[in-house]
Amino acid sequence: MGRPQLLVTFLALLALFAASSTQAQLQMNFYSKSCPKAEQIVLDYVTKHISNAPSLAAPLLRMHFHDCFVRGCDASVMINSTANNTAEKAAAPNLTLRGFNFIDGLKTLLEKACPGVVSCADILALAARDSVVHIGGPNWQVPTGRRDGRISNSTEALNAIPPPTSNITTLQTLFGNVGLDSKDLVLLSAAHTIGISHCNSFSARLYNFTGRGNGQDPALDSEYATKLKMKCVNTTDNVTIVEMDPGSFRTFDLSYFQLLQKRRGLFQSDAALRTSSATQSFINQFGSGSVQSFFSEFAKSMEKMGRINVKTGSAGEIRKTCAVIN
């Protein structure tokens, strides 16, 4: 083996070691000694508030997703913009995010219990999981030990978060950039089984799919399109909300896959999943399987997503306030 090949091999092994050591520093019950009640505080808060506002589970899950796709799961999505920096919050994909006050409330409680110990990144990861479980959705393991990032940039968010207008190539590229595959793509997209969206996220499919001011997306079921047009009368409506999974938007179930088969996925990115044999195969598999099987596979993808480029050890910081760098 020549010296160039040895160097390549060494660098590959070094990268593998770095990735594995980062993951190794995330562990179940990371706060068992430094803040023993941390996870119970999160669970109690979620139980109290999600019982009164179950619709908040979807936004918390979405925030976790948007956070992990930009610089990893480091709560950079929560940082406020400053005079010198436009943060991720200000990027178009994040303008409709909700739940920041919820996480801030949790952070306040945890700072009182254990000052400077529990990261905003871990709080978000735990709250997203607990809220989904509380509404009857899947459970997944959340190892902790993430630290908070110090950088938040709106351009990075715009470039990294898959937009609802994505085709299959864009989706696979953006998911692949963070180490997620086509199976993860289908499973994580199925989070659209809960929650709502605003008209302007999909109305181009109804009125301007060709980009010339007219034309309906041929991949969208015509009867469904007619119903959507009754709610969304133009492409600029950013106020009216629509259920992503009509009739079942509060329930984590298999209906998302069944809607895809009927060409009733709300977003262009949903419809795109039917344009690849690999993703279509997973749609068939999960749509015809059991809820338990879907939950189990969804959990694996969430655990995988929750480890994306995490900061551990001495990297990053533990923010005192989630919206502001220390």
Side-chain angles (χ1 to χ4, degrees):
M1 183 182 291
R3 291 183 67 183
Q5 289 175 298
L6 281 170
L7 179 61
V8 170
T9 302
F10 172 74
L11 291 174
L13 288 171
L14 189 64
L16 182 63
F17 172 76
S20 62
S21 63
T22 297
Q23 290 195 8
Q25 292 178 56
L26 284 185
Q27 54 186 275
M28 298 301 294
N29 303 309
F30 177 83
Y31 300 107
S32 60
K33 293 181 179 179
S34 59
C35 191
K37 295 182 179 179
E39 295 193 23
Q40 189 62 48
I41 288 172
V42 174
L43 180 58
D44 289 346
Y45 189 88
V46 166
T47 301
K48 177 182 177 181
H49 292 279
I50 298 299
S51 295
N52 297 324
S55 62
L56 194 55
L60 290 172
L61 183 59
R62 182 176 179 232
M63 190 192 299
H64 184 33
F65 179 96
H66 282 212
D67 181 42
C68 291
F69 265 66
V70 187
R71 291 187 168 268
C73 310
D74 67 349
S76 56
V77 73
M78 299 184 200
I79 296 173
N80 286 340
S81 297
T82 65
N84 301 317
N85 179 65
T86 305
E88 291 173 31
K89 269 187 184 179
N94 293 330
L95 293 177
T96 54
L97 285 183
R98 294 191 298 124
F100 293 108
N101 290 339
F102 186 95
I103 301 299
D104 289 341
L106 266 169
K107 180 63 172 172
T108 299
L109 290 177
L110 286 160
E111 282 297 305
K112 287 180 180 177
C114 315
V117 173
V118 184
S119 69
C120 299
D122 276 342
I123 294 171
L124 176 56
L126 290 165
R129 187 272 311 274
D130 290 349
S131 63
V132 168
V133 172
H134 190 75
I135 65 166
N139 194 358
W140 61 91
Q141 290 195 328
V142 180
T144 44
R146 297 167 188 79
R147 288 172 64 84
D148 299 323
R150 295 190 180 101
I151 299 172
S152 183
N153 181 278
S154 62
T155 301
E156 290 183 352
L158 187 62
N159 292 335
I161 297 170
T165 54
S166 298
N167 59 28
I168 192 63
T169 302
T170 299
L171 289 171
Q172 290 175 327
T173 298
L174 293 177
F175 272 69
N177 288 345
V178 292
L180 300 174
D181 59 26
S182 291
K183 184 176 183 181
D184 300 315
L185 166 58
V186 172
L187 286 162
L188 295 176
S189 295
H192 291 168
T193 186
I194 56 171
I196 57 175
S197 178
H198 293 84
C199 288
N200 61 331
S201 294
F202 60 86
S203 53
R205 299 186 74 195
L206 305 175
Y207 301 107
N208 190 29
F209 188 68
T210 62
R212 301 187 184 93
N214 56 35
Q216 182 175 298
D217 184 355
L220 185 63
D221 174 72
S222 57
E223 183 180 336
Y224 183 42
T226 299
K227 291 180 179 179
L228 290 174
K229 286 178 178 178
M230 292 174 67
K231 290 191 172 185
C232 305
V233 296
N234 57 58
T235 58
T236 58
D237 182 354
N238 61 358
V239 176
T240 305
I241 57 174
V242 174
E243 299 170 7
M244 290 194 288
D245 187 349
S248 179
F249 76 107
R250 289 190 176 95
T251 307
F252 219 105
D253 54 24
L254 299 175
S255 57
Y256 173 77
F257 301 113
Q258 294 155 2
L259 288 171
L260 289 187
Q261 300 285 36
K262 297 176 181 177
R263 299 190 299 123
R264 293 191 172 196
L266 185 61
F267 304 118
Q268 193 174 336
S269 58
D270 293 323
L273 299 179
R274 299 185 70 244
T275 64
S276 156
S277 59
T279 48
Q280 178 65 65
S281 175
F282 288 123
I283 292 169
N284 295 341
Q285 175 186 333
F286 299 128
S288 61
S290 66
V291 172
Q292 290 76 17
S293 176
F294 165 46
F295 278 18
S296 175
E297 294 299 323
F298 182 86
K300 293 175 186 176
S301 289
M302 283 302 303
E303 289 167 14
K304 191 173 174 183
M305 188 189 83
R307 291 183 177 273
I308 294 173
N309 296 329
V310 293
K311 295 167 179 64
T312 59
S314 60
E317 64 182 17
I318 303 298
R319 272 181 237 141
K320 296 175 183 177
T321 304
C322 291
V324 183
I325 299 167
N326 290 348

